[in-house]
C-alpha cells in the first residue's frame, strides 16, 4: 500500500517571501500521479498542482512549483511571492495510474501542513 | 464550474442515532468518494462508488455504509453514530482524469 508523509505540521512565511512544503511518499509502482491540494479556512479543498511521475519536468502553476525527485520519492511544493490568501492547510496526495480494480482514482493523502502567512 | 454540494455544513447528533450525509454533483462524474478528515491524520477514504449501485470499501469502512441509487447522489450512512465518528466528512467526485473535486465538507459532532 502507498503511504504519504508530510513531516511539517505547521509552517509560516512572511508575505512576499518563498516557502517550501515537504512531502515524501512510498510506493512500489513506477507510474502514478502526485498532487498538492489547498484547503483554506472555508474548507473547500481545491487542487493546486499535479505531477505525472513519467514526466521529468517539474510542474509549475503561476507562483506554485514542485520539486519532484522520483528516486528519492520526494515531492515538495514551493510557493513564491507568498500572499495572505495562500494561508491554508496543504495536503500532498498520491494516486495510482491504474483506473480499475480497487484503485478507481483513490487518493492517498498526507497528514497536512498548516501554512500561516504573516503580513 | 464543478459543483459538489453536501447536505449540511454542521450537524450535531446523539450517540446511537442513524445519520445520513448526502453528496450531490452536477458534473456527471462516474466516481464518488467519501473521506473523513481528522487532525494529524489527513484524509482517509471511507467508501467510494464507481457507478450507480456499485460501491467499494475504502481504508476505514467500519461503522459506515453507503448508497448510490442515482448517478449524481452518494450518501454516507452511520447506522448507529458513536462519539469516535465525530469528524469532518468530505465528499469528492472524479472521472478517469487526474484530480478529484471536493464538496465543502460536513462537520459532524456526535454527543
Amino acid at each position: 500500500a502507498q503511504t504519504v508523509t508530510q513531516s511539517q505540521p505547521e509552517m509560516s512565511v512572511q508575505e512576499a517571501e518563498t516557502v517550501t512544503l515537504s512531502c515524501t511518499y512510498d510506493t512500489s509502482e513506477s507510474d502514478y500521479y502526485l498532487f498538492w491540494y489547498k484547503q483554506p479556512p472555508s474548507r473547500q479543498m481545491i487542487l493546486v498542482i499535479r505531477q505525472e511521475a513519467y514526466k521529468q519536468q517539474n510542474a509549475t502553476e503561476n507562483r506554485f512549483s514542485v520539486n519532484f525527485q522520483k528516486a528519492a520519492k520526494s515531492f515538495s511544493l514551493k510557493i513564491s511571492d507568498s500572499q495572505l490568501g495562500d494561508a491554508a492547510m496543504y495536503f500532498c496526495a498520491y494516486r495510482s495510474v491504474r483506473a480499475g480494480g480497487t484503485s478507481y482514482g483513490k487518493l492517498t493523502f498526507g497528514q497536512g501542513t498548516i501554512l500561516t502567512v504573516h503580513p | 464550474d464543478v459543483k459538489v454540494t453536501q447536505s449540511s455544513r454542521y450537524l450535531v447528533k446523539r450517540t446511537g442515532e442513524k445519520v445520513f450525509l448526502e453528496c450531490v454533483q452536477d458534473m456527471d462524474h462516474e466516481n464518488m468518494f467519501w473521506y473523513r478528515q481528522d487532525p494529524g491524520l489527513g484524509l482517509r477514504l471511507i467508501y467510494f462508488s464507481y457507478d450507480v449501485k456499485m460501491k467499494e470499501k475504502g481504508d476505514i469502512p467500519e461503522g459506515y455504509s453507503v448508497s448510490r441509487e442515482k448517478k449524481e447522489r452518494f450518501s454516507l450512512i452511520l447506522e448507529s453514530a458513536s462519539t469516535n465518528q465525530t469528524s469532518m466528512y468530505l465528499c469528492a467526485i472524479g472521472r478517469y482524469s487526474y484530480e478529484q473535486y471536493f464538496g465543502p465538507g460536513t462537520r459532524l459532532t456526535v454527543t
Side-chain angles (χ1 to χ4, degrees), chain A residues 33 35 37 39 42-45 47 50 52 89 91 95 99 101-107 109-111, chain B residues 4 9 31 33 35 37 40-43 45 48 50 56 59 88 90 96-100 102-104 107:
Chain A
Y33 307 120
F35 306 88
Y37 278 88
Q39 188 182 43
S42 65
R43 295 291 186 178
Q44 192 98 29
M45 189 93 73
L47 178 69
R50 66 170 179 250
E52 292 90 337
M89 174 86 86
F91 290 98
R95 187 202 145 184
T102 57
S103 64
Y104 271 97
K106 166 192 168 181
L107 292 175
F109 286 86
Q111 300 89 335
Chain B
V4 182
R9 290 301 300 270
N31 301 334
F33 307 82
Y35 296 90
Q37 180 181 356
L41 297 177
L43 280 73
L45 181 65
F48 65 97
Y50 51 91
E56 291 282 345
D59 299 318
M88 170 69 80
L90 294 172
Y96 295 122
S97 57
Y98 305 123
E99 63 263 36
Q100 292 181 13
F102 286 81
R107 170 74 66 188

Side-chain angles (χ1 to χ4, degrees), chain B residues 18-104:
Chain B
K18 190 169 186 175
V19 181
F20 292 87
L21 303 182
E22 197 162 67
C23 176
V24 180
Q25 58 150 322
D26 68 349
M27 287 301 295
D28 200 37
H29 280 34
E30 296 85 1
N31 301 334
M32 298 187 75
F33 307 82
W34 275 107
Y35 296 90
R36 68 176 277 176
Q37 180 181 356
D38 299 288
L41 297 177
L43 280 73
R44 293 176 293 167
L45 181 65
I46 304 171
Y47 266 97
F48 65 97
S49 169
Y50 51 91
D51 202 348
V52 175
K53 297 190 187 294
M54 306 304 289
K55 59 187 179 186
E56 291 282 345
K57 292 180 180 179
D59 299 318
I60 51 165
E62 297 78 18
Y64 303 94
S65 62
V66 290
S67 172
R68 193 170 180 193
E69 297 296 319
K70 294 184 178 181
K71 189 173 185 180
E72 69 271 16
R73 197 176 296 264
F74 190 36
S75 300
L76 179 69
I77 303 158
L78 288 65
E79 294 289 341
S80 178
S82 63
T83 54
N84 63 13
Q85 293 178 310
T86 291
S87 186
M88 170 69 80
Y89 291 87
L90 294 172
C91 173
I93 67 172
R95 192 163 266 171
Y96 295 122
S97 57
Y98 305 123
E99 63 263 36
Q100 292 181 13
Y101 300 93
F102 286 81

